[in-house]
Amino acid sequence: MRRRLSLPVIASALATALVLLIGLMAGSTAPAGAAGGDALQIRRVDTTDPAASTMQVLYTGNPSDMRDAVLTDNGNDAGSGTPRALSGSARIAVALVFDTSSAMDDSGALVSAKEAARAWINGRTAEEKANQLVGVWTAAAQATQIQSPTADTARILSAIDRVAPPADAGTNEKTALWGSIRLAADAMAGNPRYQANVVVMTSSGDTVGGSRSTANGAVANAGASIFAVQLTGKGNFGSLDAMVGANGGLVLSTDTGTSLGSLVGQVGVTIDQQQFEVPFRPTTELGSVADLQLQVSDQSAKASVVVGSNVVGADSLDPTVTSSAGGVSVLQGPLGLVLLVVVVAIAGIALAYGVIMIFVREDRLATVLQPYDDALASGPSDIDDEEASGLARTAFVQRAVAITEQVAEQRGILSRTEASLERANLPLRAGEGLFFYAALVVVATLLSLVLFNSVILG
């Protein structure tokens, strides 16, 4: 005996689906970090001497806004002093990474970027030249270091002049971006007393199959920020943008190659003139976690540090990274991800079955007696043949397939499906084909949401 679906049951099913969707979206959101392009970003918090703590920030808004900055520690006024521009004596390291592919060269972007980089290096003050290290790398078919980080301006300029497209025409279409970023970041990490900055000038993402995760790990290890200067229209920059979002920095883009140099100059101004130091005194006890929030005009940024430490880099300052979620540690690694995928897949199948059960419900007695009725109607040989030919071998799947057939027949798609399967010469019943197709869609969607942490990809 079938019963029509009542309005409350429909509402309940829709609400359940909505809750599941919201949960998946919430679970797929990446951990909060300094987003690429944010006007205000915290780069370092030094509380080794709590009475003389300092915070280094990047702020691309009006510099006068910094005078009214407000810093709190767990909601309490941290008694911050007047913020001051980072002085020329600050130790800063800069890695210049040039994409030398034909797209950069043919558009004039490579020449424009080199000219702007030369102007930036030459235009620094004497104090900045003495306290800054600059290195040069290229990203072609392979990552190449042209110049290791040095304070020698002449060597830096000579290295920029040597940046050129590969002589081999067969390799000038390739960009080993992740390899170059990794090399540059590793060199920055070799100078831990210097604030690390990686400037990437490119027309595409990595095209040689390098490891983005390795490059991102090197950037995080160096506590570096990524300044991505992009020539759009030729490649996909999603992964590079995500790296900026995870580690802090800026994304600047243009669709005109000759305009790329002006963006490189803007990066130079940002690194040399738009960084500030905020003195403060934490209200949290030594050894405890201070949840800091800096408010500048309509911008705010947060960081969490243990008082008594010196923390560098957006990744390390991110509270979702520095704090543990508790639980069994072994489940917080790859094994935990595998188990999560399995659980989500089982939950997806269970949900699909539950929704189907809502739409078509039969009397339990009729369900129990149905196999005997079928046996009397078709005979033992028919039952054996049907079970042997189908994919639905278990009672659970057979029940789900039967329900799928009933729903499909009610919707008028069963006959069309049978005809399509016959034309394709596939040994499947229409109900089986529809059920396994639906199950595959549900499971694949849930798995992609979990594995890629993206609603769009899911």
Side-chain angles (χ1 to χ4, degrees), residues 414-451:
L414 187 64
S415 58
R416 294 199 301 271
T417 303
E418 289 175 340
S420 297
L421 290 172
E422 288 178 359
R423 286 195 299 271
N425 195 28
L426 292 176
L428 285 175
R429 292 160 46 196
E432 290 176 345
L434 290 172
F435 171 75
F436 288 113
Y437 173 78
L440 177 62
V441 169
V442 171
V443 173
T445 301
L446 293 173
L447 287 176
S448 61
L449 284 169
V450 173
L451 292 175

PDB file of all heavy atoms in Angstrom, residues 414-451:
ATOM      1  N   LEU A 414      11.105   5.569 -16.900  1.00  0.00           N
ATOM      2  CA  LEU A 414      11.577   4.191 -16.863  1.00  0.00           C
ATOM      3  C   LEU A 414      11.700   3.609 -18.265  1.00  0.00           C
ATOM      4  O   LEU A 414      12.706   2.999 -18.616  1.00  0.00           O
ATOM      5  CB  LEU A 414      10.647   3.328 -16.009  1.00  0.00           C
ATOM      6  CG  LEU A 414      11.123   1.895 -15.754  1.00  0.00           C
ATOM      7  CD1 LEU A 414      12.416   1.910 -14.948  1.00  0.00           C
ATOM      8  CD2 LEU A 414      10.044   1.090 -15.015  1.00  0.00           C
ATOM      9  N   SER A 415      10.677   3.820 -19.088  1.00  0.00           N
ATOM     10  CA  SER A 415      10.692   3.241 -20.430  1.00  0.00           C
ATOM     11  C   SER A 415      11.802   3.850 -21.282  1.00  0.00           C
ATOM     12  O   SER A 415      12.463   3.152 -22.062  1.00  0.00           O
ATOM     13  CB  SER A 415       9.329   3.457 -21.112  1.00  0.00           C
ATOM     14  OG  SER A 415       9.018   4.837 -21.172  1.00  0.00           O
ATOM     15  N   ARG A 416      12.023   5.155 -21.133  1.00  0.00           N
ATOM     16  CA  ARG A 416      13.085   5.801 -21.910  1.00  0.00           C
ATOM     17  C   ARG A 416      14.460   5.264 -21.493  1.00  0.00           C
ATOM     18  O   ARG A 416      15.341   5.073 -22.332  1.00  0.00           O
ATOM     19  CB  ARG A 416      13.044   7.319 -21.714  1.00  0.00           C
ATOM     20  CG  ARG A 416      11.792   7.966 -22.285  1.00  0.00           C
ATOM     21  CD  ARG A 416      11.995   9.456 -22.494  1.00  0.00           C
ATOM     22  NE  ARG A 416      12.328  10.147 -21.252  1.00  0.00           N
ATOM     23  CZ  ARG A 416      11.434  10.654 -20.410  1.00  0.00           C
ATOM     24  NH1 ARG A 416      10.134  10.525 -20.692  1.00  0.00           N
ATOM     25  NH2 ARG A 416      11.805  11.294 -19.318  1.00  0.00           N
ATOM     26  N   THR A 417      14.615   5.014 -20.193  1.00  0.00           N
ATOM     27  CA  THR A 417      15.880   4.470 -19.706  1.00  0.00           C
ATOM     28  C   THR A 417      16.108   3.065 -20.234  1.00  0.00           C
ATOM     29  O   THR A 417      17.218   2.702 -20.639  1.00  0.00           O
ATOM     30  CB  THR A 417      15.893   4.455 -18.172  1.00  0.00           C
ATOM     31  OG1 THR A 417      15.669   5.774 -17.677  1.00  0.00           O
ATOM     32  CG2 THR A 417      17.228   3.962 -17.651  1.00  0.00           C
ATOM     33  N   GLU A 418      15.050   2.237 -20.225  1.00  0.00           N
ATOM     34  CA  GLU A 418      15.174   0.880 -20.750  1.00  0.00           C
ATOM     35  C   GLU A 418      15.590   0.906 -22.218  1.00  0.00           C
ATOM     36  O   GLU A 418      16.450   0.130 -22.656  1.00  0.00           O
ATOM     37  CB  GLU A 418      13.844   0.139 -20.591  1.00  0.00           C
ATOM     38  CG  GLU A 418      13.518  -0.208 -19.136  1.00  0.00           C
ATOM     39  CD  GLU A 418      12.140  -0.832 -19.002  1.00  0.00           C
ATOM     40  OE1 GLU A 418      11.318  -0.653 -19.933  1.00  0.00           O
ATOM     41  OE2 GLU A 418      11.886  -1.489 -17.967  1.00  0.00           O
ATOM     42  N   ALA A 419      14.991   1.809 -22.990  1.00  0.00           N
ATOM     43  CA  ALA A 419      15.322   1.896 -24.417  1.00  0.00           C
ATOM     44  C   ALA A 419      16.777   2.311 -24.610  1.00  0.00           C
ATOM     45  O   ALA A 419      17.479   1.786 -25.483  1.00  0.00           O
ATOM     46  CB  ALA A 419      14.391   2.899 -25.107  1.00  0.00           C
ATOM     47  N   SER A 420      17.254   3.255 -23.792  1.00  0.00           N
ATOM     48  CA  SER A 420      18.643   3.715 -23.910  1.00  0.00           C
ATOM     49  C   SER A 420      19.622   2.604 -23.574  1.00  0.00           C
ATOM     50  O   SER A 420      20.648   2.437 -24.241  1.00  0.00           O
ATOM     51  CB  SER A 420      18.863   4.913 -22.977  1.00  0.00           C
ATOM     52  OG  SER A 420      18.045   5.996 -23.347  1.00  0.00           O
ATOM     53  N   LEU A 421      19.309   1.822 -22.537  1.00  0.00           N
ATOM     54  CA  LEU A 421      20.183   0.719 -22.148  1.00  0.00           C
ATOM     55  C   LEU A 421      20.223  -0.357 -23.226  1.00  0.00           C
ATOM     56  O   LEU A 421      21.260  -0.979 -23.475  1.00  0.00           O
ATOM     57  CB  LEU A 421      19.729   0.127 -20.823  1.00  0.00           C
ATOM     58  CG  LEU A 421      19.941   1.005 -19.584  1.00  0.00           C
ATOM     59  CD1 LEU A 421      19.281   0.379 -18.357  1.00  0.00           C
ATOM     60  CD2 LEU A 421      21.426   1.222 -19.317  1.00  0.00           C
ATOM     61  N   GLU A 422      19.078  -0.610 -23.859  1.00  0.00           N
ATOM     62  CA  GLU A 422      19.035  -1.604 -24.933  1.00  0.00           C
ATOM     63  C   GLU A 422      19.874  -1.145 -26.124  1.00  0.00           C
ATOM     64  O   GLU A 422      20.612  -1.929 -26.727  1.00  0.00           O
ATOM     65  CB  GLU A 422      17.587  -1.845 -25.365  1.00  0.00           C
ATOM     66  CG  GLU A 422      16.780  -2.624 -24.333  1.00  0.00           C
ATOM     67  CD  GLU A 422      15.335  -2.807 -24.760  1.00  0.00           C
ATOM     68  OE1 GLU A 422      14.987  -2.308 -25.862  1.00  0.00           O
ATOM     69  OE2 GLU A 422      14.563  -3.420 -24.008  1.00  0.00           O
ATOM     70  N   ARG A 423      19.777   0.156 -26.487  1.00  0.00           N
ATOM     71  CA  ARG A 423      20.564   0.666 -27.607  1.00  0.00           C
ATOM     72  C   ARG A 423      22.056   0.579 -27.306  1.00  0.00           C
ATOM     73  O   ARG A 423      22.876   0.357 -28.197  1.00  0.00           O
ATOM     74  CB  ARG A 423      20.168   2.109 -27.914  1.00  0.00           C
ATOM     75  CG  ARG A 423      18.820   2.246 -28.603  1.00  0.00           C
ATOM     76  CD  ARG A 423      18.660   3.625 -29.203  1.00  0.00           C
ATOM     77  NE  ARG A 423      18.710   4.672 -28.192  1.00  0.00           N
ATOM     78  CZ  ARG A 423      17.652   5.119 -27.536  1.00  0.00           C
ATOM     79  NH1 ARG A 423      16.442   4.625 -27.808  1.00  0.00           N
ATOM     80  NH2 ARG A 423      17.777   6.075 -26.627  1.00  0.00           N
ATOM     81  N   ALA A 424      22.411   0.780 -26.041  1.00  0.00           N
ATOM     82  CA  ALA A 424      23.822   0.718 -25.651  1.00  0.00           C
ATOM     83  C   ALA A 424      24.289  -0.710 -25.414  1.00  0.00           C
ATOM     84  O   ALA A 424      25.475  -0.933 -25.157  1.00  0.00           O
ATOM     85  CB  ALA A 424      24.039   1.540 -24.384  1.00  0.00           C
ATOM     86  N   ASN A 425      23.361  -1.654 -25.469  1.00  0.00           N
ATOM     87  CA  ASN A 425      23.683  -3.072 -25.268  1.00  0.00           C
ATOM     88  C   ASN A 425      24.334  -3.301 -23.905  1.00  0.00           C
ATOM     89  O   ASN A 425      25.317  -4.026 -23.787  1.00  0.00           O
ATOM     90  CB  ASN A 425      24.592  -3.587 -26.386  1.00  0.00           C
ATOM     91  CG  ASN A 425      24.652  -5.114 -26.420  1.00  0.00           C
ATOM     92  OD1 ASN A 425      23.696  -5.782 -26.006  1.00  0.00           O
ATOM     93  ND2 ASN A 425      25.760  -5.659 -26.898  1.00  0.00           N
ATOM     94  N   LEU A 426      23.794  -2.647 -22.875  1.00  0.00           N
ATOM     95  CA  LEU A 426      24.308  -2.807 -21.520  1.00  0.00           C
ATOM     96  C   LEU A 426      23.433  -3.796 -20.759  1.00  0.00           C
ATOM     97  O   LEU A 426      22.206  -3.666 -20.761  1.00  0.00           O
ATOM     98  CB  LEU A 426      24.315  -1.467 -20.781  1.00  0.00           C
ATOM     99  CG  LEU A 426      25.301  -0.419 -21.299  1.00  0.00           C
ATOM    100  CD1 LEU A 426      25.128   0.893 -20.549  1.00  0.00           C
ATOM    101  CD2 LEU A 426      26.735  -0.923 -21.154  1.00  0.00           C
ATOM    102  N   PRO A 427      24.021  -4.770 -20.092  1.00  0.00           N
ATOM    103  CA  PRO A 427      23.249  -5.800 -19.373  1.00  0.00           C
ATOM    104  C   PRO A 427      22.754  -5.297 -18.019  1.00  0.00           C
ATOM    105  O   PRO A 427      23.076  -5.846 -16.975  1.00  0.00           O
ATOM    106  CB  PRO A 427      24.259  -6.933 -19.222  1.00  0.00           C
ATOM    107  CG  PRO A 427      25.567  -6.233 -19.113  1.00  0.00           C
ATOM    108  CD  PRO A 427      25.471  -5.034 -20.019  1.00  0.00           C
ATOM    109  N   LEU A 428      21.990  -4.223 -18.027  1.00  0.00           N
ATOM    110  CA  LEU A 428      21.466  -3.627 -16.800  1.00  0.00           C
ATOM    111  C   LEU A 428      19.974  -3.435 -16.925  1.00  0.00           C
ATOM    112  O   LEU A 428      19.461  -3.110 -18.003  1.00  0.00           O
ATOM    113  CB  LEU A 428      22.112  -2.264 -16.537  1.00  0.00           C
ATOM    114  CG  LEU A 428      23.545  -2.216 -16.018  1.00  0.00           C
ATOM    115  CD1 LEU A 428      23.998  -0.770 -15.949  1.00  0.00           C
ATOM    116  CD2 LEU A 428      23.628  -2.853 -14.646  1.00  0.00           C
ATOM    117  N   ARG A 429      19.274  -3.639 -15.806  1.00  0.00           N
ATOM    118  CA  ARG A 429      17.877  -3.246 -15.747  1.00  0.00           C
ATOM    119  C   ARG A 429      17.811  -1.741 -15.584  1.00  0.00           C
ATOM    120  O   ARG A 429      18.741  -1.099 -15.090  1.00  0.00           O
ATOM    121  CB  ARG A 429      17.188  -3.934 -14.578  1.00  0.00           C
ATOM    122  CG  ARG A 429      17.043  -5.440 -14.760  1.00  0.00           C
ATOM    123  CD  ARG A 429      16.831  -6.134 -13.439  1.00  0.00           C
ATOM    124  NE  ARG A 429      15.840  -5.463 -12.591  1.00  0.00           N
ATOM    125  CZ  ARG A 429      15.711  -5.687 -11.294  1.00  0.00           C
ATOM    126  NH1 ARG A 429      16.535  -6.535 -10.696  1.00  0.00           N
ATOM    127  NH2 ARG A 429      14.794  -5.062 -10.605  1.00  0.00           N
ATOM    128  N   ALA A 430      16.714  -1.138 -16.002  1.00  0.00           N
ATOM    129  CA  ALA A 430      16.565   0.312 -15.934  1.00  0.00           C
ATOM    130  C   ALA A 430      16.693   0.816 -14.504  1.00  0.00           C
ATOM    131  O   ALA A 430      17.341   1.828 -14.234  1.00  0.00           O
ATOM    132  CB  ALA A 430      15.222   0.730 -16.532  1.00  0.00           C
ATOM    133  N   GLY A 431      16.113   0.088 -13.563  1.00  0.00           N
ATOM    134  CA  GLY A 431      16.183   0.497 -12.164  1.00  0.00           C
ATOM    135  C   GLY A 431      17.600   0.491 -11.629  1.00  0.00           C
ATOM    136  O   GLY A 431      18.016   1.377 -10.877  1.00  0.00           O
ATOM    137  N   GLU A 432      18.355  -0.532 -12.033  1.00  0.00           N
ATOM    138  CA  GLU A 432      19.746  -0.617 -11.606  1.00  0.00           C
ATOM    139  C   GLU A 432      20.559   0.547 -12.159  1.00  0.00           C
ATOM    140  O   GLU A 432      21.345   1.179 -11.450  1.00  0.00           O
ATOM    141  CB  GLU A 432      20.357  -1.944 -12.063  1.00  0.00           C
ATOM    142  CG  GLU A 432      19.815  -3.166 -11.344  1.00  0.00           C
ATOM    143  CD  GLU A 432      20.383  -4.453 -11.919  1.00  0.00           C
ATOM    144  OE1 GLU A 432      20.946  -4.418 -13.027  1.00  0.00           O
ATOM    145  OE2 GLU A 432      20.244  -5.486 -11.241  1.00  0.00           O
ATOM    146  N   GLY A 433      20.371   0.818 -13.436  1.00  0.00           N
ATOM    147  CA  GLY A 433      21.121   1.907 -14.053  1.00  0.00           C
ATOM    148  C   GLY A 433      20.843   3.236 -13.377  1.00  0.00           C
ATOM    149  O   GLY A 433      21.758   4.006 -13.070  1.00  0.00           O
ATOM    150  N   LEU A 434      19.562   3.521 -13.134  1.00  0.00           N
ATOM    151  CA  LEU A 434      19.198   4.790 -12.490  1.00  0.00           C
ATOM    152  C   LEU A 434      19.705   4.863 -11.063  1.00  0.00           C
ATOM    153  O   LEU A 434      20.218   5.888 -10.625  1.00  0.00           O
ATOM    154  CB  LEU A 434      17.672   4.953 -12.521  1.00  0.00           C
ATOM    155  CG  LEU A 434      17.059   5.208 -13.894  1.00  0.00           C
ATOM    156  CD1 LEU A 434      15.539   5.145 -13.807  1.00  0.00           C
ATOM    157  CD2 LEU A 434      17.493   6.576 -14.419  1.00  0.00           C
ATOM    158  N   PHE A 435      19.611   3.772 -10.320  1.00  0.00           N
ATOM    159  CA  PHE A 435      20.033   3.784  -8.920  1.00  0.00           C
ATOM    160  C   PHE A 435      21.541   4.008  -8.800  1.00  0.00           C
ATOM    161  O   PHE A 435      22.001   4.851  -8.040  1.00  0.00           O
ATOM    162  CB  PHE A 435      19.647   2.478  -8.234  1.00  0.00           C
ATOM    163  CG  PHE A 435      20.251   2.334  -6.862  1.00  0.00           C
ATOM    164  CD1 PHE A 435      19.755   3.056  -5.782  1.00  0.00           C
ATOM    165  CD2 PHE A 435      21.345   1.504  -6.656  1.00  0.00           C
ATOM    166  CE1 PHE A 435      20.322   2.942  -4.529  1.00  0.00           C
ATOM    167  CE2 PHE A 435      21.920   1.378  -5.401  1.00  0.00           C
ATOM    168  CZ  PHE A 435      21.409   2.103  -4.332  1.00  0.00           C
ATOM    169  N   PHE A 436      22.316   3.207  -9.574  1.00  0.00           N
ATOM    170  CA  PHE A 436      23.765   3.334  -9.455  1.00  0.00           C
ATOM    171  C   PHE A 436      24.262   4.670  -9.997  1.00  0.00           C
ATOM    172  O   PHE A 436      25.246   5.222  -9.514  1.00  0.00           O
ATOM    173  CB  PHE A 436      24.460   2.161 -10.150  1.00  0.00           C
ATOM    174  CG  PHE A 436      24.312   0.863  -9.420  1.00  0.00           C
ATOM    175  CD1 PHE A 436      23.584  -0.183  -9.956  1.00  0.00           C
ATOM    176  CD2 PHE A 436      24.876   0.700  -8.161  1.00  0.00           C
ATOM    177  CE1 PHE A 436      23.431  -1.377  -9.264  1.00  0.00           C
ATOM    178  CE2 PHE A 436      24.727  -0.499  -7.462  1.00  0.00           C
ATOM    179  CZ  PHE A 436      24.007  -1.537  -8.018  1.00  0.00           C
ATOM    180  N   TYR A 437      23.570   5.203 -10.991  1.00  0.00           N
ATOM    181  CA  TYR A 437      23.932   6.533 -11.488  1.00  0.00           C
ATOM    182  C   TYR A 437      23.717   7.581 -10.400  1.00  0.00           C
ATOM    183  O   TYR A 437      24.588   8.412 -10.128  1.00  0.00           O
ATOM    184  CB  TYR A 437      23.101   6.869 -12.726  1.00  0.00           C
ATOM    185  CG  TYR A 437      23.284   8.288 -13.205  1.00  0.00           C
ATOM    186  CD1 TYR A 437      24.420   8.659 -13.931  1.00  0.00           C
ATOM    187  CD2 TYR A 437      22.333   9.264 -12.929  1.00  0.00           C
ATOM    188  CE1 TYR A 437      24.596   9.957 -14.361  1.00  0.00           C
ATOM    189  CE2 TYR A 437      22.503  10.566 -13.354  1.00  0.00           C
ATOM    190  CZ  TYR A 437      23.637  10.912 -14.077  1.00  0.00           C
ATOM    191  OH  TYR A 437      23.807  12.211 -14.494  1.00  0.00           O
ATOM    192  N   ALA A 438      22.557   7.537  -9.752  1.00  0.00           N
ATOM    193  CA  ALA A 438      22.254   8.503  -8.695  1.00  0.00           C
ATOM    194  C   ALA A 438      23.223   8.357  -7.525  1.00  0.00           C
ATOM    195  O   ALA A 438      23.713   9.348  -6.973  1.00  0.00           O
ATOM    196  CB  ALA A 438      20.805   8.322  -8.224  1.00  0.00           C
ATOM    197  N   ALA A 439      23.513   7.106  -7.142  1.00  0.00           N
ATOM    198  CA  ALA A 439      24.438   6.877  -6.034  1.00  0.00           C
ATOM    199  C   ALA A 439      25.832   7.414  -6.368  1.00  0.00           C
ATOM    200  O   ALA A 439      26.509   8.014  -5.530  1.00  0.00           O
ATOM    201  CB  ALA A 439      24.513   5.392  -5.709  1.00  0.00           C
ATOM    202  N   LEU A 440      26.262   7.197  -7.622  1.00  0.00           N
ATOM    203  CA  LEU A 440      27.585   7.671  -8.034  1.00  0.00           C
ATOM    204  C   LEU A 440      27.660   9.197  -7.981  1.00  0.00           C
ATOM    205  O   LEU A 440      28.652   9.772  -7.523  1.00  0.00           O
ATOM    206  CB  LEU A 440      27.890   7.175  -9.453  1.00  0.00           C
ATOM    207  CG  LEU A 440      29.224   7.649 -10.055  1.00  0.00           C
ATOM    208  CD1 LEU A 440      30.393   7.127  -9.226  1.00  0.00           C
ATOM    209  CD2 LEU A 440      29.359   7.186 -11.499  1.00  0.00           C
ATOM    210  N   VAL A 441      26.610   9.862  -8.446  1.00  0.00           N
ATOM    211  CA  VAL A 441      26.592  11.329  -8.421  1.00  0.00           C
ATOM    212  C   VAL A 441      26.690  11.849  -6.989  1.00  0.00           C
ATOM    213  O   VAL A 441      27.463  12.760  -6.683  1.00  0.00           O
ATOM    214  CB  VAL A 441      25.313  11.860  -9.105  1.00  0.00           C
ATOM    215  CG1 VAL A 441      25.158  13.358  -8.847  1.00  0.00           C
ATOM    216  CG2 VAL A 441      25.368  11.598 -10.597  1.00  0.00           C
ATOM    217  N   VAL A 442      25.892  11.265  -6.085  1.00  0.00           N
ATOM    218  CA  VAL A 442      25.899  11.711  -4.692  1.00  0.00           C
ATOM    219  C   VAL A 442      27.262  11.489  -4.050  1.00  0.00           C
ATOM    220  O   VAL A 442      27.841  12.398  -3.433  1.00  0.00           O
ATOM    221  CB  VAL A 442      24.809  10.970  -3.881  1.00  0.00           C
ATOM    222  CG1 VAL A 442      24.950  11.273  -2.393  1.00  0.00           C
ATOM    223  CG2 VAL A 442      23.423  11.388  -4.372  1.00  0.00           C
ATOM    224  N   VAL A 443      27.808  10.275  -4.211  1.00  0.00           N
ATOM    225  CA  VAL A 443      29.094   9.958  -3.575  1.00  0.00           C
ATOM    226  C   VAL A 443      30.218  10.802  -4.162  1.00  0.00           C
ATOM    227  O   VAL A 443      31.063  11.331  -3.438  1.00  0.00           O
ATOM    228  CB  VAL A 443      29.404   8.458  -3.725  1.00  0.00           C
ATOM    229  CG1 VAL A 443      30.816   8.153  -3.222  1.00  0.00           C
ATOM    230  CG2 VAL A 443      28.386   7.644  -2.943  1.00  0.00           C
ATOM    231  N   ALA A 444      30.248  10.950  -5.497  1.00  0.00           N
ATOM    232  CA  ALA A 444      31.313  11.733  -6.135  1.00  0.00           C
ATOM    233  C   ALA A 444      31.263  13.185  -5.691  1.00  0.00           C
ATOM    234  O   ALA A 444      32.291  13.816  -5.445  1.00  0.00           O
ATOM    235  CB  ALA A 444      31.184  11.642  -7.659  1.00  0.00           C
ATOM    236  N   THR A 445      30.057  13.732  -5.566  1.00  0.00           N
ATOM    237  CA  THR A 445      29.920  15.119  -5.110  1.00  0.00           C
ATOM    238  C   THR A 445      30.430  15.285  -3.684  1.00  0.00           C
ATOM    239  O   THR A 445      31.188  16.208  -3.377  1.00  0.00           O
ATOM    240  CB  THR A 445      28.451  15.559  -5.192  1.00  0.00           C
ATOM    241  OG1 THR A 445      27.997  15.436  -6.544  1.00  0.00           O
ATOM    242  CG2 THR A 445      28.293  17.000  -4.745  1.00  0.00           C
ATOM    243  N   LEU A 446      30.022  14.379  -2.801  1.00  0.00           N
ATOM    244  CA  LEU A 446      30.453  14.469  -1.405  1.00  0.00           C
ATOM    245  C   LEU A 446      31.967  14.288  -1.286  1.00  0.00           C
ATOM    246  O   LEU A 446      32.634  15.005  -0.526  1.00  0.00           O
ATOM    247  CB  LEU A 446      29.725  13.416  -0.564  1.00  0.00           C
ATOM    248  CG  LEU A 446      28.215  13.621  -0.413  1.00  0.00           C
ATOM    249  CD1 LEU A 446      27.588  12.421   0.281  1.00  0.00           C
ATOM    250  CD2 LEU A 446      27.911  14.889   0.376  1.00  0.00           C
ATOM    251  N   LEU A 447      32.522  13.337  -2.026  1.00  0.00           N
ATOM    252  CA  LEU A 447      33.966  13.116  -1.972  1.00  0.00           C
ATOM    253  C   LEU A 447      34.734  14.333  -2.467  1.00  0.00           C
ATOM    254  O   LEU A 447      35.743  14.733  -1.886  1.00  0.00           O
ATOM    255  CB  LEU A 447      34.346  11.892  -2.802  1.00  0.00           C
ATOM    256  CG  LEU A 447      33.974  10.522  -2.218  1.00  0.00           C
ATOM    257  CD1 LEU A 447      34.316   9.419  -3.204  1.00  0.00           C
ATOM    258  CD2 LEU A 447      34.699  10.281  -0.902  1.00  0.00           C
ATOM    259  N   SER A 448      34.263  14.948  -3.547  1.00  0.00           N
ATOM    260  CA  SER A 448      34.970  16.119  -4.077  1.00  0.00           C
ATOM    261  C   SER A 448      34.899  17.286  -3.111  1.00  0.00           C
ATOM    262  O   SER A 448      35.856  18.047  -2.966  1.00  0.00           O
ATOM    263  CB  SER A 448      34.387  16.523  -5.432  1.00  0.00           C
ATOM    264  OG  SER A 448      33.019  16.865  -5.306  1.00  0.00           O
ATOM    265  N   LEU A 449      33.779  17.428  -2.415  1.00  0.00           N
ATOM    266  CA  LEU A 449      33.668  18.491  -1.419  1.00  0.00           C
ATOM    267  C   LEU A 449      34.676  18.297  -0.296  1.00  0.00           C
ATOM    268  O   LEU A 449      35.298  19.244   0.184  1.00  0.00           O
ATOM    269  CB  LEU A 449      32.243  18.524  -0.847  1.00  0.00           C
ATOM    270  CG  LEU A 449      31.165  19.142  -1.735  1.00  0.00           C
ATOM    271  CD1 LEU A 449      29.789  18.855  -1.160  1.00  0.00           C
ATOM    272  CD2 LEU A 449      31.372  20.629  -1.894  1.00  0.00           C
ATOM    273  N   VAL A 450      34.844  17.046   0.130  1.00  0.00           N
ATOM    274  CA  VAL A 450      35.769  16.762   1.230  1.00  0.00           C
ATOM    275  C   VAL A 450      37.223  16.878   0.779  1.00  0.00           C
ATOM    276  O   VAL A 450      38.058  17.480   1.459  1.00  0.00           O
ATOM    277  CB  VAL A 450      35.505  15.348   1.789  1.00  0.00           C
ATOM    278  CG1 VAL A 450      36.567  14.971   2.810  1.00  0.00           C
ATOM    279  CG2 VAL A 450      34.122  15.288   2.435  1.00  0.00           C
ATOM    280  N   LEU A 451      37.540  16.321  -0.396  1.00  0.00           N
ATOM    281  CA  LEU A 451      38.928  16.272  -0.854  1.00  0.00           C
ATOM    282  C   LEU A 451      39.453  17.621  -1.302  1.00  0.00           C
ATOM    283  O   LEU A 451      40.606  17.966  -1.041  1.00  0.00           O
ATOM    284  CB  LEU A 451      39.063  15.266  -2.002  1.00  0.00           C
ATOM    285  CG  LEU A 451      38.871  13.799  -1.627  1.00  0.00           C
ATOM    286  CD1 LEU A 451      38.899  12.926  -2.874  1.00  0.00           C
ATOM    287  CD2 LEU A 451      39.943  13.342  -0.648  1.00  0.00           C
TER     288      LEU A 451
END
